[in-house]
Amino acid sequence: MDLKHSINKNNIPQHVAIIMDGNGRWAKQHGEDRIFGHHEGVNSVREIVEACGEVGVKYLTLYAFSTENWNRPKDEVDALMELLVSTISLEAINLHKKGVRLQVIGDVESLPASCQKELQESMDLTANNTTVTLILALSYSSKWEIADAVKKIARKIEEGTHKSSDITSKLIEENLNTKNYPDPELMIRTSGEHRISNFLLWQLAYAEFYFTDVLWPDFRKNEFFKAIISYQNRERRFGKTSEQISSN
Ligand code: IPE
Ligand code: IPE
Ligand code: MG
């Protein structure tokens, strides 16, 4: 059954963040090398970006490569970087046609030069698109991002443009990589792992979490719509009581 029609159009999360996990296990189940799973995972990315456009999700952050993933076997890291470059160069035109704006968060300078170049060209090409903003988290970890924000703020204090009493949540947010995006209302993790793995620790402070056993290469539109429907059945209280929420 197509679940799209069961979605309430008046309660769509603006921003969905996804930990795309389970490519390796998917490949193993199919008797293939891990990298085969990563290739198949690209098809899920394409579908989920499209699904966001269909239901009106404006921001989609995908955790594609973590700081910790640099510790994987060199063969896998190299293959992932190659896949990244080839995917971006092949998909940029399609993303552009669909009105998708591409953005990146993470330690982009640690990526291979070819990858940085492809990313920059695709970001420039799609810069004025407004249908969906697709944010790739690459060489990203939240502790790295927060430490980087602290460094930037400390520098401003050293330079005398800020005082320590200026430090607020807002100032910290303005110095995170995600400063131009709203916080995600919904965080999805596939593959049955129930952890956050250094992803958007600050930004997910009040997000709803959705965990599914489905492996990323099998996570397609209907699975995404299921997650949206689950989100729509939650009561977001932000510290208030249920009675306060329902009387509004
Ligand atoms: C997620 O799938 C993709 C990346 C981390 C790049 P995994 O590669 O972690 O797959 P599993 O968890 O080993 O199945
Ligand atoms: C998290 O997946 C990172 C990405 C999806 C890119 P991992 O599979 O690397 O996470 P852990 O290390 O098992 O928690
Ligand atoms: Mg994994």
Side-chain angles (χ1 to χ4, degrees):
M1 192 181 91
D2 182 1
L3 291 171
K4 190 162 78 178
H5 305 291
S6 309
I7 292 176
N8 172 3
K9 290 274 181 298
N10 299 317
N11 184 20
I12 302 290
Q14 263 200 102
H15 186 171
V16 177
I18 308 184
I19 302 179
M20 310 184 286
D21 200 9
N23 294 352
R25 278 163 284 169
W26 186 92
K28 200 169 171 192
Q29 283 176 7
H30 289 77
E32 301 279 353
D33 288 344
R34 294 179 55 82
I35 193 67
F36 183 73
H38 298 313
H39 276 269
E40 192 56 30
V42 174
N43 296 326
S44 295
V45 170
R46 204 178 295 116
E47 273 208 21
I48 302 312
V49 173
E50 218 174 87
C52 285
E54 287 173 21
V55 298
V57 170
K58 299 304 277 181
Y59 298 86
L60 173 68
T61 298
L62 297 178
Y63 203 7
F65 194 83
S66 72
T67 306
E68 289 76 16
N69 288 149
W70 288 113
N71 298 320
R72 290 193 176 190
K74 187 176 180 303
D75 283 359
E76 182 169 347
V77 172
D78 290 349
L80 273 167
M81 291 300 144
E82 257 175 53
L83 177 64
L84 192 62
V85 175
S86 62
T87 304
I88 294 167
S89 69
L90 283 171
E91 296 290 329
I93 294 288
N94 287 333
L95 291 175
H96 187 45
K97 278 189 194 146
K98 289 181 188 146
V100 177
R101 174 172 71 134
L102 183 71
Q103 302 268 283
V104 186
I105 55 172
D107 185 10
V108 177
E109 285 168 19
S110 67
L111 298 169
S114 56
C115 193
Q116 292 186 44
K117 184 170 166 280
E118 274 313 325
L119 281 168
Q120 195 54 55
E121 285 174 7
S122 308
M123 287 194 290
D124 292 345
L125 173 71
T126 61
N128 297 320
N129 293 341
T130 55
T131 308
V132 180
T133 297
L134 168 61
I135 304 151
L136 293 181
L138 290 173
S139 192
Y140 174 88
S141 77
S142 197
K143 288 191 177 182
W144 167 83
E145 180 190 31
I146 292 170
D148 187 59
V150 171
K151 222 180 289 169
K152 286 182 198 151
I153 294 170
R155 209 171 297 135
K156 288 172 191 165
I157 294 173
E158 281 169 4
E159 288 164 358
T161 58
H162 283 66
K163 302 189 292 297
S164 61
S165 58
D166 293 334
I167 299 176
T168 57
S169 293
K170 187 167 171 282
L171 183 70
I172 294 171
E173 274 157 15
E174 287 167 359
N175 285 279
L176 293 173
N177 284 198
T178 51
K179 61 176 181 287
N180 296 322
Y181 322 124
D183 284 346
E185 295 96 330
L186 172 63
M187 194 288 288
I188 300 170
R189 184 170 189 149
T190 59
S191 88
E193 307 299 352
H194 295 178
R195 55 178 177 260
I196 197 166
S197 303
N198 218 343
F199 186 46
L200 302 175
L201 302 179
W202 177 284
Q203 298 87 340
L204 295 176
Y206 251 112
E208 296 296 329
F209 285 15
Y210 178 86
F211 296 104
T212 171
D213 288 340
V214 174
L215 303 174
W216 177 252
D218 290 330
F219 191 87
R220 299 297 167 96
K221 281 187 190 177
N222 241 16
E223 295 298 331
F224 182 71
F225 297 148
K226 255 190 235 173
I228 303 269
I229 292 165
S230 165
Y231 165 83
Q232 295 187 329
N233 285 313
R234 313 223 185 148
E235 181 178 61
R236 306 191 73 208
R237 290 194 284 277
F238 300 100
K240 294 183 179 174
T241 66
S242 187
E243 288 73 18
Q244 284 175 295
I245 302 295
S246 45
S247 69
N248 271 334

